[in-house]
Amino acid sequence: VNTSAGNLNMYKERCMRKNAILRSAVSTIIVFLLFPVTVLSQEHDVWKPFQFLMGKWSGTGSGKPGEAVSGITSFSYELDKNIIVRKNVARYAPKEEDSKGRVHEDLLVFYPQSGDTNVKAIYFDNEGHLIHYKVSSSDTGNHVMLDSENAESEPHFRLVYELTKDGKLSVEFFFAPPGGALTSYLKGEMKREE
């Protein structure tokens, strides 16, 4: 009877050691599986090149009929820093046929491609436009360019943001008709509000 009780104790001890070893091995595997994800997220912040854009910017225009009088743009991280949202409002001076003037509002959402470090953007405005952009940025962290993704039979759009030496935000919007060359359509500078 003592022998079988001793065997039972030895069996229990072996099971406890195996369970401890198994728990340790599983814990080690989990740590090594999670480690590369943590290291990658710390090494490559997809939003680092966009940092200069963050905050609120304002600009003024000529105020001539049909041209911008003022504009406000803001860039903010949203959804736990998974996207950047740019909100923009531009007020235009009245023209003969439009005595109140016009207000243009738009929303631009930057998002990383799933499983990739490439960034894309999608644009919506109060005139019903929708534009899909591929986004490129400089390593210096002061230049972001958006190029529309479109067929040759569609217009081509380009939006360029650049931080100037005096801390202003240079903004230039280019347009090309289907099959045509890009030309500058709007250009201006904004100053940081926040």
Side-chain angles (χ1 to χ4, degrees), residues 32-179:
F32 281 112
L33 287 174
L34 293 177
F35 179 73
V37 173
T38 304
V39 169
L40 282 176
S41 66
Q42 290 172 351
E43 286 179 5
H44 184 75
D45 178 5
V46 71
W47 301 127
K48 188 175 181 180
F50 299 82
Q51 187 64 40
F52 75 98
L53 293 170
M54 305 313 292
K56 192 173 184 179
W57 301 83
S58 67
T60 55
S62 69
K64 294 178 184 174
E67 294 187 14
V69 174
S70 65
I72 302 270
T73 297
S74 66
F75 291 87
S76 62
Y77 297 115
E78 301 292 337
L79 303 178
D80 292 331
K81 205 175 176 182
N82 284 297
I83 61 172
I84 292 176
V85 175
R86 185 208 70 185
K87 295 179 182 176
N88 182 63
V89 177
R91 300 192 189 298
Y92 290 86
K95 297 191 283 185
E96 282 185 32
E97 65 276 4
D98 180 13
S99 63
K100 292 182 182 178
R102 183 169 68 86
V103 176
H104 174 86
E105 295 179 85
D106 61 70
L107 181 73
L108 182 66
V109 178
F110 295 85
Y111 60 96
Q113 274 293 98
S114 181
D116 200 344
T117 57
N118 292 324
V119 174
K120 295 211 173 200
I122 187 166
Y123 168 93
F124 308 91
D125 70 18
N126 61 342
E127 298 170 23
H129 297 112
L130 170 69
I131 304 171
H132 292 271
Y133 285 107
K134 57 186 174 189
V135 182
S136 59
S137 58
S138 68
D139 292 336
T140 57
N142 65 354
H143 180 90
V144 170
M145 183 171 69
L146 295 86
D147 260 310
S148 63
E149 298 179 316
N150 51 292
E152 284 187 32
S153 61
E154 298 175 334
H156 181 192
F157 305 99
R158 177 177 288 164
L159 180 59
V160 178
Y161 290 104
E162 189 161 9
L163 190 63
T164 64
K165 289 180 183 176
D166 60 352
K168 292 183 179 174
L169 185 62
S170 170
V171 183
E172 189 164 9
F173 182 71
F174 297 84
F175 169 77

